[in-house]
């Protein structure tokens, strides 16, 4: 019986999509610059004890870069089709005159074998595909968030209609809640005490929010955690919001633990991280997994608070109270203790008006930081015993009563917490305390920088159709490896557009091959671009 040919076996030189010379130059130099390519060269070529490898890592990387730069699905068949579309000059420069599809699939399997054996770490390989795009020794402010990436495998066991199988907490072990619909052995209970519903061995249940007319709900696949370069706090000029780190974990994994390898990798390669804005899913984790961990690394966490975290808590000294993670005097009026939260559906003007109410509350009744020591931070009460310029008047401090009558006067009768100093240990309520009091204008401007990662998530899906079927490989390792190339293409467009739209050439610190800015455009746009920065 004759062997049945696969469709990909029928492809011949010239049948694939063409690659432009610009994209080829970007891909070729990207492969030469790639740290992961060098790691694979050592493992596959220099330490190889068998037959000399015909299909080199630099050649695979060039073909993969070309595929994502052309915004095609990242299938192994598409990578092989990219080779079939190269011109004779491009193939000669690449040193690859012949190739078959099985060599492409074997290369990806070999990468997985190296990771499984412990010779390489998948997070290191994934980030090494694009981290040459980060200038050496950068000082970064990194916005962190995750987005869903659905497996291409067919779901073989669905969920109970009345329960969402995605974990509701990351710090407590939960037993699987789904029931098998009776299809033989599906779903499978795995070693991690979670259910496998597809032939993808690492895909798990997760919960995703609504997007593009798609309802929120459970899905099966992975969480793609991204760290995105964002504008440092207090810095007015925009910066390119390219991705500086990524990690792929099974859906429903611990958010904070998924972001930790990104932080370690950036610090390990000589970069400095000043602060990390992240949403409530991160500071909801135990402090040792996020807020305390970041502060030990001299990284300032910036976050939002849940309704439960905003509950009133007793202060560290009599007469004080914690509200929204900020220490206030107990004399704080009742109507100022439960200010509304900032909501996503509010307009900019509404945000500003609400922030002014928080500013006024903090300025009048809040404890202000003085100095930070190894034991904690020293705070001073709103009333000064030696000044009549205190923001409020307290009967227990006669000097403050000399202040203007238009200042609020407390009803303190007996000992109160309006004056004095207190040292709050760094570990006390560390997952709700942050450098700017919640809700204030400074906090909103600080936390608002997190939008950079939301924009990156959206742009990543617009440039590349990052939906189900974008990759057609099973397992976390193979998907993470391929998604590294997708992030490279996103960063290439992000950095290039940021500078060219402002009429500027890309600085030499960005080691990218790109189309130079036309001199005519530079003269016409240079003045406008300089005013933006």
């Amino acid at each position: 019986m004759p062997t049945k040919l696969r469709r990909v076996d029928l492809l011949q030189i010239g049948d694939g999509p063409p690659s432009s010379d610009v994209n080829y130059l970007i891909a070729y130099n990207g492969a030469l610059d790639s740290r992961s390519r060098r790691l694979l060269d050592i493992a596959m070529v220099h330490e190889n004890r068998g037959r000399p490898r015909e299909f080199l890592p630099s050649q695979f990387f060039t073909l993969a870069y070309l595929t994502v730069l052309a915004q095609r699905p990242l299938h192994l068949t598409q990578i092989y089709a990219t080779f079939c579309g190269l011109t004779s000059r491009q193939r000669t420069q690449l040193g690859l005159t012949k190739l078959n599809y099985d060599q492409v699939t074997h290369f990806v399997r070999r990468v997985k074998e190296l990771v499984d054996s412990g010779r390489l770490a998948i997070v290191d390989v994934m980030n090494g595909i694009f981290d040459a795009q980060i200038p050496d020794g950068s000082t970064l402010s990194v916005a962190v968030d995750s987005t869903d990436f659905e497996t291409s495998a067919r779901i073989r066991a669905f969920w109970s209609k009345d329960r969402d199988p995605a974990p509701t907490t990351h710090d407590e072990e939960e037993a699987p809640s789904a029931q098998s619909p009776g299809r033989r052995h599906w779903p499978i209970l795995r070693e991690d005490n979670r259910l496998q519903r597809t032939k993808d061995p690492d895909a798990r249940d997760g919960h995703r929010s609504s997007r593009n007319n798609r309802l929120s709900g459970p899905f099966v696949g992975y969480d793609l955690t991204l760290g995105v370069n964002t504008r440092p706090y207090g810095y007015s000029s925009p910066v390119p919001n390219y991705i500086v780190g990524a990690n792929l974990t099974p859906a429903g994994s611990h958010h904070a633990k998924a972001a930790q390898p990104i932080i370690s990798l950036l610090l390990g390669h000589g970069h400095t991280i000043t602060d990390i804005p992240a949403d409530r899913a991160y500071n909801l984790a135990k402090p040792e997994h996020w807020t305390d961990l970041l502060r030990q690394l001299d990284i300032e966490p910036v976050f939002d608070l849940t309704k439960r975290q905003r509950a009133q808590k007793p202060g560290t000294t009599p007469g004080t109270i914690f509200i929204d993670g900020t220490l206030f005097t107990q004399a704080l009026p009742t109507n100022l203790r439960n200010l509304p939260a900032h909501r996503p559906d509010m307009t900019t003007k509404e945000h500003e008006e609400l922030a002014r109410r928080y500013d006024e509350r903090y300025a009048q009744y809040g404890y202000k930081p003085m100095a930070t020591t190894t034991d904690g931070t020293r705070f001073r009460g709103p009333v000064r015993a030696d000044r009549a310029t205190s923001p409020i008047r307290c009967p227990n401090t006669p000097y403050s009563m000399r202040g203007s009558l238009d200042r609020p006067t407390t009803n303190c009768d007996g000992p109160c917490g309006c004056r004095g100093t207190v040292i709050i240990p760094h570990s006390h309520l560390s997952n709700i305390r942050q450098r700017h009091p919640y809700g204030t204008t400074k906090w909103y401007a600080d936390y608002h920088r997190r939008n950079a990662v939301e924009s990156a998530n959206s742009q990543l899906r617009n440039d590349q159709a990052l939906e189900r079927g974008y990759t057609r490989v099973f397992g976390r390792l193979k998907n993470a490896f391929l998604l590294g190339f997708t992030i490279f293409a996103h960063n290439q467009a992000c950095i290039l557009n940021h500078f060219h739209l402002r009429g500027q050439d890309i600085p030499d610190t960005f080691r990218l091959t790109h189309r130079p800015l036309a001199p005519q455009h530079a003269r016409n746009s240079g003045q406008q671009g300089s005013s933006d920065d």
Side-chain angles (χ1 to χ4, degrees):
M1 181 180 295
T3 303
K4 182 178 180 181
L5 292 178
R6 300 167 295 183
R7 182 179 301 178
V8 69
D9 295 328
L10 301 178
L11 284 176
Q12 298 180 0
I13 299 297
D15 291 342
S19 298
S20 68
D21 289 338
V22 171
N23 280 352
Y24 180 82
L25 190 60
I26 295 171
Y28 185 79
N29 287 314
L32 294 180
D33 249 0
S34 171
R35 184 171 56 84
S36 288
R37 190 272 308 166
R38 294 193 292 271
L39 292 175
L40 292 175
D41 266 347
I42 294 173
M44 291 184 175
V45 180
H46 300 295
E47 297 180 356
N48 183 33
R49 296 295 180 267
R51 187 178 62 182
R53 173 170 288 276
E54 297 179 358
F55 188 33
L56 301 176
S58 59
Q59 297 166 343
F60 179 91
F61 275 50
T62 301
L63 297 178
Y65 284 141
L66 281 172
T67 304
V68 293
L69 288 171
Q71 298 184 359
R72 297 200 303 273
L74 198 48
H75 303 163
L76 300 185
T77 54
Q78 290 289 341
I79 295 177
Y80 177 67
T82 298
F83 165 77
C84 294
L86 296 180
T87 64
S88 58
R89 182 178 58 81
Q90 291 171 341
R91 292 196 304 275
T92 301
Q93 183 179 2
L94 190 58
L96 190 65
T97 56
K98 62 179 181 178
L99 181 70
N100 62 65
Y101 175 68
D102 290 334
Q103 289 177 284
V104 178
T105 59
H106 179 268
F107 184 92
V108 178
R109 285 199 304 271
R110 182 57 182 154
V111 173
K112 182 180 183 301
E113 291 172 359
L114 292 171
V115 174
D116 289 338
S117 65
R119 296 178 65 184
L120 298 173
I122 185 56
V123 178
D124 199 26
V125 173
M126 180 184 188
N127 286 264
I129 295 173
F130 60 86
D131 62 8
Q133 297 170 313
I134 310 173
D136 295 333
S138 295
T139 298
L140 305 169
S141 181
V142 182
V144 171
D145 199 7
S146 64
T147 186
D148 59 280
F149 182 68
E150 189 173 1
T151 179
S152 60
R154 176 170 63 89
I155 298 177
R156 296 173 178 269
F158 290 90
W159 306 272
S160 173
K161 293 183 179 179
D162 58 343
R163 299 193 65 180
D164 188 341
T168 56
T169 177
H170 292 298
D171 292 317
E172 297 178 5
E173 295 293 335
E174 291 190 350
S177 58
Q179 299 291 329
S180 171
R183 290 187 179 182
R184 303 195 59 156
H185 62 282
W186 296 99
I188 304 173
L189 180 61
R190 307 306 297 187
E191 294 80 4
D192 58 358
N193 201 35
R194 301 185 64 190
L195 295 179
Q196 175 187 339
R197 303 179 186 276
T198 69
K199 286 191 175 182
D200 191 334
D202 299 326
R204 295 292 183 267
D205 300 337
H207 187 279
R208 58 185 173 191
S209 56
S210 59
R211 181 182 64 248
N212 296 336
N213 296 323
R214 186 194 63 197
L215 297 178
S216 61
F219 77 103
V220 179
Y222 301 90
D223 288 333
L224 177 59
T225 302
L226 300 175
V228 175
N229 180 51
T230 187
R231 173 179 51 82
Y233 177 74
Y235 191 71
S236 58
S237 299
V239 296
N241 300 133
Y242 58 93
I243 297 171
V244 297
N247 187 19
L248 190 71
T249 55
S253 297
H254 195 291
H255 289 292
K257 291 181 180 179
Q260 290 172 12
I262 299 175
I263 299 169
S264 300
L265 208 60
L266 289 172
L267 296 177
H269 285 93
H271 303 293
T272 301
I273 303 177
T274 57
D275 51 53
I276 296 182
D279 62 19
R280 295 175 292 188
Y282 293 85
N283 66 298
L284 271 176
K286 292 180 179 179
E288 59 265 27
H289 295 320
W290 191 247
T291 52
D292 286 353
L293 176 65
L294 295 186
R295 291 187 175 107
Q296 291 171 5
L297 297 172
D298 292 328
I299 301 173
E300 188 65 32
V302 181
F303 46 82
D304 195 4
L305 297 177
T306 65
K307 184 178 181 180
R308 183 182 63 185
Q309 290 174 322
R310 298 190 63 205
Q312 299 180 21
K313 296 176 175 59
T316 53
T317 58
T320 60
I321 185 174
F322 276 104
I323 299 178
D324 301 339
T326 303
L327 187 64
F328 291 93
T329 173
Q330 190 73 38
L332 180 68
T334 304
N335 65 319
L336 293 179
R337 297 192 178 193
N338 295 297
L339 294 179
H342 288 269
R343 303 187 315 275
D345 60 342
M346 296 173 64
T347 64
T348 301
K349 184 177 180 180
E350 290 173 337
H351 278 298
E352 293 174 350
E353 292 176 352
L354 180 58
R356 280 195 291 268
R357 295 176 62 187
Y358 279 95
D359 290 341
E360 183 179 0
R361 180 180 76 171
Y362 177 66
Q364 293 178 345
Y365 297 95
Y367 271 65
K368 313 302 188 298
M370 297 177 62
T372 300
T373 65
T374 55
D375 297 329
T377 303
R378 188 182 183 190
F379 288 83
R380 181 175 59 204
V383 174
R384 297 287 297 274
D386 57 344
R387 292 185 183 178
T389 56
S390 299
I392 57 176
R393 294 155 30 108
C394 175
N396 291 332
T397 309
Y399 220 101
S400 69
M401 299 299 289
R402 300 182 184 182
S404 175
L405 294 177
D406 60 356
R407 294 193 179 119
T409 303
T410 67
N411 296 322
C412 297
D413 184 12
C416 67
C418 292
R419 72 175 187 179
T421 60
V422 59
I423 294 179
I424 303 178
H426 297 306
S427 59
H428 186 71
L429 301 179
S430 59
N431 63 333
I432 63 173
R433 292 173 49 223
Q434 50 190 317
R435 61 184 175 188
H436 299 304
Y438 172 83
T440 61
T441 300
K442 288 184 177 180
W443 171 86
Y444 181 72
D446 200 3
Y447 180 72
H448 189 69
R449 298 176 300 125
R450 193 190 68 86
N451 289 352
V453 68
E454 298 285 0
S455 298
N457 283 339
S458 177
Q459 293 169 5
L460 196 61
R461 293 185 179 279
N462 290 338
D463 296 340
Q464 310 286 347
L466 207 63
E467 301 295 340
R468 182 184 179 192
Y470 176 72
T471 61
R472 291 180 180 174
V473 292
F474 292 169
R476 170 180 173 244
L477 303 180
K478 292 182 179 180
N479 278 289
F481 177 61
L482 293 179
L483 287 176
F485 296 97
T486 303
I487 294 174
F488 174 91
H490 164 80
N491 284 352
Q492 167 69 19
C494 177
I495 297 171
L496 187 147
N497 290 338
H498 174 84
F499 290 102
H500 282 195
L501 289 175
R502 289 165 175 78
Q504 303 170 356
D505 279 320
I506 297 179
D508 293 336
T509 53
F510 290 96
R511 294 180 297 174
L512 292 170
T513 303
H514 57 86
R515 189 192 304 273
L517 185 67
Q520 177 83 20
H521 182 63
R523 288 194 299 269
N524 295 339
S525 305
Q527 184 175 0
Q528 180 180 0
S530 61
S531 64
D532 289 340
D533 291 342

